[in-house]
Amino acid sequence: MSQKGPLLAALEGKCPRCRKGDMFQYPLYKISKFHKVHDNCPHCGMQYEIEPGFFYGAMYVSYALSVGIFLTTAFLVTMFMENPSIKTYILSVVIVALVLYPINFRYSRILFAHVFGGIKYDPSK
Ligand SMILES: [Zn+2]
């Protein structure tokens, strides 16, 4: 079986160690359970929450992603609407941020585990 690169593994929400097991228990569209992370990797058994509060660091990633979402939305409003009011900006940013919240939540945890988690990829797992 071919091995996944780090980018594809992160994009698919795979375990940072084996890049095979899913980090999240349910698919994104199960909107009431989108946030549930496996305790251990279903493939290699690595514990995802390496230490208590490990995923608190994901808040910083989430903040960065949110800023990106805000700026992109404001830019698109400016590009495609004629003379938008401040209410239009605020409403657009709030709606887009809420709609993208599950994606933001997941990718902030995935990126945190992959980039800042200090977990080494182990192809033998
Ligand atoms: Zn794994």
Side-chain angles (χ1 to χ4, degrees), residues 3 17-20 43-44 120-125:
Q3 292 168 357
R17 186 164 79 170
C18 68
R19 296 182 186 165
K20 289 175 185 144
H43 185 83
C44 72
K120 289 258 184 293
Y121 172 52
D122 185 349
S124 70
K125 294 288 175 188

Side-chain angles (χ1 to χ4, degrees), residues 29-124:
Y29 58 79
K30 294 241 182 210
I31 210 71
S32 63
K33 297 174 178 175
F34 75 87
H35 62 285
K36 293 196 186 287
V37 179
H38 283 290
D39 291 333
N40 297 81
C41 173
H43 185 83
C44 72
M46 187 194 86
Q47 188 181 346
Y48 285 135
E49 194 159 7
I50 297 163
E51 56 195 20
F54 173 69
F55 284 116
Y56 285 130
M59 285 191 305
Y60 298 103
V61 179
S62 175
Y63 175 73
L65 291 176
S66 296
V67 169
I69 289 168
F70 292 176
L71 292 176
T72 305
T73 305
F75 175 76
L76 290 175
V77 167
T78 307
M79 290 295 290
F80 293 106
M81 297 182 93
E82 207 167 298
N83 202 13
S85 69
I86 191 74
K87 273 186 191 167
T88 307
Y89 278 112
I90 292 171
L91 203 63
S92 309
V93 165
V94 167
I95 289 170
V96 171
L98 284 176
V99 167
L100 295 182
Y101 175 71
I103 294 170
N104 183 335
F105 181 92
R106 278 194 172 210
Y107 280 102
S108 58
R109 286 185 171 218
I110 291 166
L111 289 174
F112 185 72
H114 277 259
V115 179
F116 304 106
I119 303 159
K120 289 258 184 293
Y121 172 52
D122 185 349
S124 70

